[in-house]
Amino acid sequence: MTNWKIYDPQSPQATQKVTLPPAPPWRQPGQGRERVLATTFRPDPAVVDAVNTALYLRRPLLLTGRPGTGKSSLAHSVAHQLGLGPVIEWAVNSRSTLQEGLYQYDALARLQYIQQSSARTNVGEQDKDVEELGMFLTLGPLGTALASAHAPRALLVDEIDKSDVDLPNDLLNVLDTGRFVIPELKRAAARHPTVKISSRDNECIEVHRGEITFKEYPFVVLTSNGERDFPAPFLRRCVQCQIREPDESELQDIVAAHFDNLGEDMSTIISEFVKMRSTVTLATDQLLNAVHLLLSSDKPQSAAERQRILDTVFQGLGG
């Protein structure tokens, strides 16, 4: 590109669909994004100690910190380093329930399936219904992490502070007991003790008598932006870790992990970011966004244009 602008009202209208420039590596969908998150995260020693403590004690890791400090990236980094497979993600909101995390049952789809089925014989009809039941049950993110044959897995429960007040303790209760029950299968266990259902990873899981037990705890990362206080019993059952904002030297390392062939002027951008961050709330990924934009053109921008880019990206996050 000779000009960083894709959209320019002063330019002639495109005669065909424009080919967009490559996305930032951390904004590539799918495995590309996961790989970048896993390999570019730079934890400080306190975070490394907290991760190892959680792994030894089989306790969830409760990560707090400002947005953009890498809380979610840590889960990907640990899973990548330890070969735990793809991170299972659960984005929590105020309507999230424990059942949603464990499994989903599509009762309406099953009813429609039964109604549309061809003629059935009365003999064996109940058994067939039980077999069909597994087609409409799917393990949720928590259930998948607990039941996976490839345990231990890594489970990221994102923004747990946005959840209903009871969800955090309910979640830890399941982890403490080492099992959970699917009532729909429990009621049918006498007629059909084993039913196969699918996990979130499309893994086939055999459920015996409506109950799933697990012998290995997943590595659980609970992230919080500090929007609410948790009760002491919940905090006692977690390993707590506050991710601090990286200093200027650490930001240099983070930027270097994402980009090659950085010019000396990028040090000036980082210094300006740190100076701004002392007065308004900024996230590290805003710095990465700015660097990506400034490197997206092979034609040097003017000082005024560079400043407009920085003003666009370095918007305060409040708080």
Side-chain angles (χ1 to χ4, degrees):
M1 294 176 60
T2 58
N3 187 328
W4 81 280
K5 292 181 180 178
I6 305 169
Y7 163 71
D8 186 352
Q10 305 303 319
S11 299
Q13 181 182 1
T15 57
Q16 57 185 4
K17 186 168 73 171
V18 170
T19 300
L20 297 177
W26 58 91
R27 292 295 297 166
Q28 295 176 359
Q31 294 183 349
R33 170 183 173 273
E34 294 181 5
R35 183 169 56 253
V36 170
L37 293 177
T39 58
T40 58
F41 181 68
R42 298 293 183 267
D44 66 31
V47 174
V48 174
D49 289 343
V51 169
N52 282 290
T53 300
L55 289 170
Y56 270 102
L57 299 179
R58 305 300 199 274
R59 292 287 189 182
L61 178 63
L62 176 61
L63 287 179
T64 56
R66 288 185 171 181
T69 50
K71 299 186 295 295
S72 299
S73 299
L74 174 61
H76 291 274
S77 176
V78 174
H80 175 77
Q81 184 72 19
L82 302 184
L84 303 184
V87 173
I88 303 167
E89 300 188 34
W90 183 11
V92 169
N93 57 52
S94 60
R95 301 179 301 278
S96 299
T97 64
L98 179 65
Q99 177 181 320
E100 170 194 315
L102 292 173
Y103 72 97
Q104 290 91 46
Y105 172 48
D106 194 338
L108 179 59
R110 182 176 178 235
L111 177 61
Q112 293 173 339
Y113 178 86
I114 293 174
Q115 291 174 340
Q116 295 171 3
S117 294
S118 56
R120 300 173 175 219
T121 60
N122 291 328
V123 178
E125 183 176 345
Q126 288 184 332
D127 284 345
K128 187 175 181 182
D129 286 347
V130 175
E131 292 174 359
E132 290 171 353
L133 183 57
M135 297 168 53
F136 304 100
L137 283 161
T138 306
L139 291 178
L142 176 59
T144 296
L146 299 178
S148 176
H150 306 288
R153 297 292 301 276
L155 172 66
L156 172 63
V157 184
D158 209 13
E159 298 191 336
I160 188 69
D161 47 352
K162 286 183 168 35
S163 71
D164 175 82
V165 65
D166 293 325
L167 180 58
N169 276 325
D170 290 344
L171 188 156
L172 295 192
N173 286 338
V174 172
L175 292 175
D176 287 347
T177 58
R179 65 184 182 87
F180 67 92
V181 172
I182 299 178
E184 291 82 358
L185 296 182
K186 190 72 172 179
R187 289 192 291 268
R191 290 181 281 115
H192 209 293
T194 301
V195 176
K196 295 180 180 180
I197 64 176
S198 296
S199 74
R200 197 170 185 175
D201 289 346
N202 294 319
E203 184 180 356
C204 184
I205 304 296
E206 286 192 350
V207 183
H208 300 284
R209 308 199 70 81
E211 184 172 290
I212 290 180
T213 60
F214 53 97
K215 297 180 180 179
E216 184 60 78
Y217 288 92
F219 173 64
V220 181
V221 175
L222 311 172
T223 73
S224 167
N225 292 326
E227 296 180 2
R228 102 183 200 210
D229 294 327
F230 294 103
F234 172 79
L235 296 177
R236 176 188 64 80
R237 296 154 77 187
C238 298
V239 175
Q240 301 179 62
C241 180
Q242 173 85 26
I243 294 190
R244 61 176 178 79
E245 294 179 318
D247 59 27
E248 188 166 342
S249 175
E250 292 167 332
L251 285 172
Q252 294 273 6
D253 292 340
I254 291 171
V255 172
H258 286 82
F259 301 97
D260 296 324
N261 304 318
L262 290 171
E264 294 183 2
D265 56 340
M266 288 303 159
S267 296
T268 304
I269 302 301
I270 294 173
S271 297
E272 184 173 342
F273 173 83
V274 173
K275 183 178 179 180
M276 267 192 81
R277 196 180 62 182
S278 65
T279 58
V280 298
T281 301
L282 295 174
T284 302
D285 64 343
Q286 290 173 282
L287 173 61
L288 297 175
N289 291 339
V291 174
H292 178 78
L293 285 172
L294 293 174
L295 295 177
S296 293
S297 172
D298 54 16
K299 180 180 179 180
Q301 297 98 341
S302 66
E305 191 169 37
R306 288 168 65 90
Q307 188 59 51
R308 288 202 304 272
I309 292 174
L310 297 180
D311 291 342
T312 300
V313 178
F314 292 166
Q315 296 287 328
L317 304 179

